[in-house]
Amino acid sequence: MKIDKVKSLIEEVKAFAAGTEKEIEDFRIRILGNKGELKQLFAQFKEVAPEEKKEYGQVLNELKHVAEARVDELKQALKQQQSSAEADSLDLSRPVNQQKVGSRHPISLIRNRIVEIFQNIGYEVSVGPEIEDDWHNFTALNFPPEHPARDMQDTFFIDKDPDIALRTHTSSVQVRMMESQSPPIRTISPGRVYRNEAISARAHCFFHQVEGLYIDKNVSFADLRQTLFYFARTLFGEDTEIRLRPSYFPFTEPSAEMDVSCTICSGKGCNVCKYTGFLEIMGCGMVDPNVLENCGIDSKVYSGFAFGMGIERIAQLKYNVNDLRLYSENDAQFLEQFRSSL
Ligand code: DAH
């Protein structure tokens, strides 16, 4: 009874179970393969009695469909099993791959800190162009025509007549602020400046400054001193002492240089402060009446003070980095040391 044989084969196929891809594939080849059972049963078609041929054909077709469906079903089930096993092996408590966070440049860190300290006492931030004219960089700031700072040695001139140069200091921004605003003016101007210097550990052809300016009625030298004292203590620590030494700048009168007690030895004397106990950090003074008038401010009504400091100099003291070249070499090992800083 060939038909019964096919029927029992159909039952066998329906009940067949397999756990691996190979078992399924072997099963498929055994039933549906080129030399498989189905092929052989078809080949026996001619031996079937004529009245049974129709039913024989039907059960063979059924066998074919059932077998194909079973193979598909088993393959699907196996796939699902595998992917859920993968999901089970996901460890959600595993630490993520650490992303590398960039670090700020030490000059930016110090600039931000200086700006923040002055913003907290009401100063606003202003900026000016790095390519500047003679008026804003020199003339309005009361530099006499023959002043040596105008010399080609210090200044990178871009054009003559009119003189256009890379600014040599951020004091040019105070001129722009006084020209464009009326007092009271409280402004802090960070920026890059350029000087024609040979590059060494102690000098560079570009560096950074922060300029400060306060213009109002009745501003006195005592205000200047107290503002800078507050700044020094906030930046370097509560025990910091300051010292103002008389000096000269064309744009301030009187002028001074400000020292802070040595950040290394706290004033006791060491080789960083050359055993003086103090370190120079900025120039300052009362804005010269000529400068006020040059900028359209009535020097009989208003007075004010200005100060300017080098950011690299402060960074040197804060981070103990004594070679100016390191700030612009883009050495990743150097820069990465500032990663944890804000
Ligand atoms: N511009 C000066 C320099 O580059 C620094 C400076 C000194 C700025 C005294 C000032 C000041 O505003 O009052 O060396």
Side-chain angles (χ1 to χ4, degrees), residues 62-81:
E62 191 187 341
L63 173 62
K64 181 170 185 274
H65 288 132
V66 167
E68 283 172 353
R70 189 69 192 138
V71 167
D72 277 355
E73 218 172 76
L74 289 170
K75 279 187 180 167
Q76 280 296 329
L78 191 68
K79 235 194 207 158
Q80 250 171 29
Q81 230 177 43

Side-chain angles (χ1 to χ4, degrees), residues 196-206 323-325 328-329:
N196 194 355
E197 304 243 18
I199 296 170
S200 70
R202 289 147 54 86
H204 211 290
C205 58
F206 67 79
D323 189 331
L324 277 178
R325 293 168 294 195
S328 51
E329 273 173 353

Side-chain angles (χ1 to χ4, degrees), residues 168-169 171 174 195 209 211-212 249 251-252 283-285 306-308:
T168 59
H169 54 181
S171 301
Q174 48 158 296
R195 285 186 202 177
Q209 289 187 332
E211 183 81 11
F249 299 101
F251 35 92
T252 43
C284 59
F307 54 89

